[in-house]
Amino acid sequence: MSTLTELLELSLDEKTIIAEYIWIGGSGTDLRSKARTLPGPVTDVKKLPKWNYDGSSTNQAPGADSEVILYPQAIFKDPFRRGHNILVICDAYTPQGVAIPTNKRAAAAEIFAKEEVAEEVPWFGLEQEYTLLQKDIKWPLGWPQGGYPGPQGPYYCGTGADKAWGRDIVNAHYKACLYAGIQISGINGEVMPGQWEFQVGPAIGISAADQLWAARYILERITEIAGVVLSLDPKPIDGDWNGAGCHTNYSTKTMREEGGYAHIKEAINKLGLRHKEHIAQYGEGNERRLTGRHETADMNTFSWGVANRGASIRVGRDTKKEGKGYFEDRRPASNMDPYVVTSMIANTTILWKPEGSELILF
């Protein structure tokens, strides 16, 4: 009698693959997926067929007209099935070809396709913080039931059974993302115990957002296997505990070249002028995180600084010293939509031309 593990490890004919189609559900943060058999191998996303799903079951369509169409947009190797099998990041449209309201990728793609943006080759590095929760009680992994561990201090990048909880999950995710072809650049334990971070990038344009969604999906699957709950809540635990963000590092070709520091300051000024608009799109519940405490700026005040983790925008010391480089937008929450955030930053800093606005920050 075969075991489940043996059956899961069965090899397929090389001319047959399983493609897992992945899309964003009705909440704007939940991930859905289903699999189909296709002739393969497939490496060109344009050769993948469209598919459909029941949008009434994901809060994305009414029951009387429930069909939503999936458009494949990015391919990654499947670390779960392996072989030639693939993960497919999709966005969703009506049968008439109109992007549904929760499809934020379509609008982002339009911004990144503009010639002025493409010429600047925008790079993004996304720092995804997240919290691992015990399944049955929805309390951080490693914390005593109904109680608290010792105060923050020893946990950030910490080692040891009394400081780092969930490392096997984190390392499994790291290797799975590398296998998948995601530009994951690192991991670390965070300030609050049970909270971790991985970084995606630097990646160009909309690819950074595709990769972050794929990495989130892989993490959801790994925590599912481990019997642990993944939380992207920006402030999972009230009190004297750090929240969770998705700090967004950004640069353009002009910023990376000699004299780029002046362009960095110009971009920061533009972000300051549109601070309220950005905050409104930077994640639900972010007001519980952006309080001016726990390495955040108050959400009602825009600020920037060199090496200042209490500012809205942080510029690295190396960037200032070299006179070129990148900056970090520390405002986005852990549950932000990377399609929205990356395209909004590109739109504000490259395309937007403020009229009658004075330089307010320098």
Side-chain angles (χ1 to χ4, degrees):
M1 178 69 69
S2 296
T3 65
L4 283 174
T5 300
E6 289 172 335
L7 291 170
L8 288 169
E9 292 176 351
L10 284 173
S11 298
L12 301 178
D13 185 298
E14 288 190 1
K15 295 182 180 179
T16 302
I17 67 164
I18 300 173
E20 190 80 27
Y21 279 44
I22 302 162
W23 70 96
I24 300 162
S27 71
T29 57
D30 60 312
L31 284 162
R32 310 289 180 122
S33 74
K34 61 177 183 173
R36 66 184 301 174
T37 307
L38 293 172
V42 179
T43 57
D44 183 355
V45 72
K46 294 178 181 178
K47 294 183 178 180
L48 289 170
K50 297 174 184 176
W51 204 8
N52 65 76
Y53 67 92
D54 171 16
S56 69
S57 295
T58 61
N59 294 316
Q60 291 172 298
D65 187 15
S66 65
E67 191 168 284
V68 180
I69 312 302
L70 292 171
Y71 287 33
Q73 299 292 356
I75 291 176
F76 299 93
K77 293 170 63 179
D78 187 339
F80 304 103
R81 296 188 177 101
R82 305 182 193 179
H84 293 296
N85 303 303
I86 55 176
L87 305 177
V88 184
I89 296 295
C90 305
D91 57 356
Y93 296 80
T94 68
Q96 294 75 36
V98 178
I100 66 172
T102 51
N103 177 0
K104 306 303 182 183
R105 191 187 191 282
E110 289 182 5
I111 291 172
F112 285 116
K114 291 185 181 295
E115 183 177 358
E116 193 175 352
V117 175
E119 286 177 350
E120 281 290 350
V121 195
W123 288 3
F124 294 93
L126 305 174
E127 304 176 24
Q128 178 68 71
E129 295 177 340
Y130 61 94
T131 308
L132 299 175
L133 304 178
Q134 301 170 57
K135 181 181 176 182
D136 295 328
I137 59 174
K138 303 295 175 63
W139 198 240
L141 195 65
W143 289 34
Q145 184 171 346
Y148 298 86
Q152 294 182 155
Y155 309 109
Y156 172 70
C157 298
T159 58
D162 58 343
K163 303 178 191 70
W165 303 314
R167 191 184 296 276
D168 283 351
I169 293 170
V170 174
N171 281 329
H173 176 249
Y174 194 178
K175 294 188 74 172
C177 285
L178 288 170
Y179 177 91
I182 293 168
Q183 292 171 275
I184 185 169
S185 49
I187 57 170
N188 61 267
E190 268 304 330
V191 178
M192 189 184 86
Q195 191 178 88
W196 295 81
E197 175 184 300
F198 66 89
Q199 303 93 34
V200 169
I204 298 171
I206 204 166
S207 172
D210 286 336
Q211 291 186 58
L212 186 64
W213 276 115
R216 285 176 173 178
Y217 174 80
I218 291 171
L219 185 55
E220 285 273 22
R221 289 282 304 276
I222 290 173
T223 54
E224 174 188 320
I225 293 167
V228 170
V229 174
L230 169 66
S231 172
L232 297 183
D233 190 310
K235 184 70 173 178
I237 303 295
D238 292 333
D240 195 15
W241 304 97
N242 274 35
C246 193
H247 302 152
T248 300
N249 299 276
Y250 172 68
S251 70
T252 62
K253 182 174 180 289
T254 306
M255 294 176 195
R256 296 188 294 269
E257 293 175 343
E258 293 300 322
Y261 197 63
H263 297 280
I264 289 172
K265 292 198 291 184
E266 179 184 357
I268 293 172
N269 186 68
K270 285 184 174 183
L271 290 170
L273 291 170
R274 300 187 79 181
H275 175 63
K276 289 183 179 179
E277 292 90 334
H278 279 253
I279 285 293
Q281 300 297 324
Y282 272 16
E284 186 177 350
N286 211 12
E287 72 281 354
R288 293 183 285 115
R289 168 180 162 263
L290 296 181
T291 62
R293 300 183 62 211
H294 304 112
E295 300 181 273
T296 71
D298 184 278
M299 71 179 300
N300 297 308
T301 305
F302 183 83
S303 60
W304 80 285
V306 175
N308 184 356
R309 283 179 163 78
S312 307
I313 304 290
R314 180 183 69 87
V315 174
R317 292 196 183 279
D318 286 346
T319 293
K320 184 178 181 183
K321 180 180 178 181
E322 295 174 10
K324 60 183 179 180
Y326 70 97
F327 63 83
E328 175 192 45
D329 190 340
R330 297 181 58 80
R331 296 171 296 172
S334 50
N335 60 2
M336 64 83 149
D337 187 328
Y339 293 129
V340 173
V341 170
T342 57
S343 62
M344 196 172 193
I345 291 173
N347 184 45
T348 294
T349 61
I350 300 172
L351 297 176
W352 185 52
K353 312 297 181 188
E355 296 180 3
S357 299
E358 296 181 359
L359 197 66
I360 59 173
L361 299 173
F362 308 100

